[in-house]
Amino acid sequence: MSWNARMQDTMTTGMTDVELPRGGDFASEIAKLETQFDIIRYMRRITHIFGFKTFLICSIPPIDMERLSAATVISNMPAELLNKYDSLSMLRFSTGVRRLRETTTPFQITLEDWESEGGTPDSAADYIVMLRENGIFQANYFPVHDAEGGRGAVILMGPEADLPMTAAMELQMIAIHVYNRLAEIGSVWKSSSTTLSEREIQCLSWTAAGKTSAEIAGILGLSEHTVNHYLNHVTKKLDAVNRTQAVVKAMKKGYIS
């Protein structure tokens, strides 16, 4: 299916006209985002509108870095995919990251292209299967930088498709504004090595709203045990003594409002 056809399907299955990007409107909307969780929700919407499956925003990993998760700022990429990627040390074989170090121009890489390249380890076969199962056949890379010159990328992944030039240009501008907004609301990845997952941020946000684990489980469609796991894990990540302190620290770092 062409990108335009998928875009039309998206528009006819619930997206209203006001939700679609319009010229420079996105700049003012992004400027109003106050927390990383706000940006996650915004990026989820943009990802869906443009027909992708998932997104990842990261700083460009240095050559000696071994884990993509260490460079990730925010993402809604399935945790099992990112964990598998890191467990196989796939960062060493990343064509995308290599090109990000060499160019500031947007580009795309298909799964087929990546498979056909030399140097991909045999152990990548299982990971490639997981990508296909998650509907990821192509990654579109949008290089960005912040006001201090720190380089990063907004990566959108999904079906294989040729992105029209107008859409690519709009996404590049969105990527620039989003990355700089992330820097403005906390620069968390510069001041701390802590990276919270989308689920962890959701659980903290509802905890801040006064919800119990059981109530959060009902809201998010998870088991109470899973919610407690997320909250206990994020409490340790933030070096907090309890959930209340974790919420306070998360607010100070700009994860939640």
Side-chain angles (χ1 to χ4, degrees):
M1 181 183 294
S2 69
W3 184 90
N4 287 327
R6 290 202 326 277
M7 185 68 166
Q8 185 62 39
D9 283 350
T10 299
M11 292 173 63
T12 57
T13 54
M15 283 293 162
T16 61
D17 185 64
V18 72
E19 290 177 306
L20 296 174
R22 286 290 180 266
D25 291 351
F26 60 80
S28 59
E29 182 178 0
I30 293 170
K32 295 175 183 177
L33 302 177
E34 296 182 351
T35 69
Q36 288 198 7
F37 189 44
D38 290 338
I39 294 181
I40 288 174
R41 287 184 294 190
Y42 176 81
M43 285 302 302
R44 274 207 312 257
R45 181 160 62 90
I46 291 299
T47 299
H48 178 64
I49 287 173
F50 282 89
F52 295 101
K53 298 286 289 187
T54 188
F55 75 87
L56 185 144
I57 300 178
C58 65
S59 56
I60 296 182
I63 295 175
D64 59 350
M65 183 174 285
E66 297 183 355
R67 296 167 57 248
L68 178 59
S69 58
T72 299
V73 182
I74 59 171
S75 177
N76 69 340
M77 189 175 180
E80 62 269 19
L81 274 178
L82 192 54
N83 292 339
K84 184 71 171 180
Y85 187 93
D86 282 348
S87 70
L88 295 174
S89 299
M90 295 301 297
L91 195 57
R92 292 181 297 167
F93 308 97
S94 174
T95 302
V97 170
R98 184 172 67 249
R99 288 184 62 180
L100 283 171
R101 296 185 182 121
E102 300 170 348
T103 184
T104 57
T105 303
F107 61 91
Q108 64 186 39
I109 297 175
T110 67
L111 187 56
E112 183 178 351
D113 290 339
W114 186 54
E115 283 185 277
S116 64
E117 284 194 359
T120 304
D122 293 338
S123 57
D126 290 343
Y127 181 69
I128 290 171
V129 170
M130 290 177 67
L131 288 174
R132 289 199 173 100
E133 290 174 348
N134 282 273
I136 298 175
F137 295 87
Q138 179 175 298
N140 286 69
Y141 295 78
F142 298 91
V144 291
H145 62 83
D146 60 30
E148 297 179 8
R151 297 185 62 205
V154 174
I155 307 171
L156 299 170
M157 295 161 275
E160 184 173 339
D162 290 325
L163 198 63
M165 180 61 70
T166 52
M169 291 174 63
E170 186 154 34
L171 283 170
Q172 178 65 53
M173 292 305 299
I174 289 172
I176 291 170
H177 282 274
V178 164
Y179 195 76
N180 277 274
R181 187 59 185 146
L182 279 167
E184 291 169 354
I185 65 174
S187 299
V188 174
W189 68 93
K190 295 179 183 177
S191 61
S192 170
S193 59
T194 303
T195 301
L196 305 188
S197 71
E198 181 179 2
R199 281 299 195 198
E200 288 168 343
I201 293 174
Q202 287 176 327
C203 289
L204 276 178
S205 295
W206 285 114
T207 299
K211 301 297 183 181
T212 65
S213 293
E215 290 171 329
I216 297 171
I219 293 169
L220 299 181
L222 304 171
S223 70
E224 186 175 352
H225 172 78
T226 299
V227 170
N228 285 329
H229 170 76
Y230 280 126
L231 287 171
N232 290 337
H233 195 218
V234 75
T235 297
K236 292 179 181 178
K237 277 187 176 183
L238 293 170
D239 194 26
V241 297
N242 53 39
R243 296 179 184 182
T244 301
Q245 188 181 41
V247 167
V248 172
K249 286 193 171 187
M251 286 180 172
K252 288 181 177 179
K253 289 179 176 292
Y255 285 111
I256 62 177
S257 58

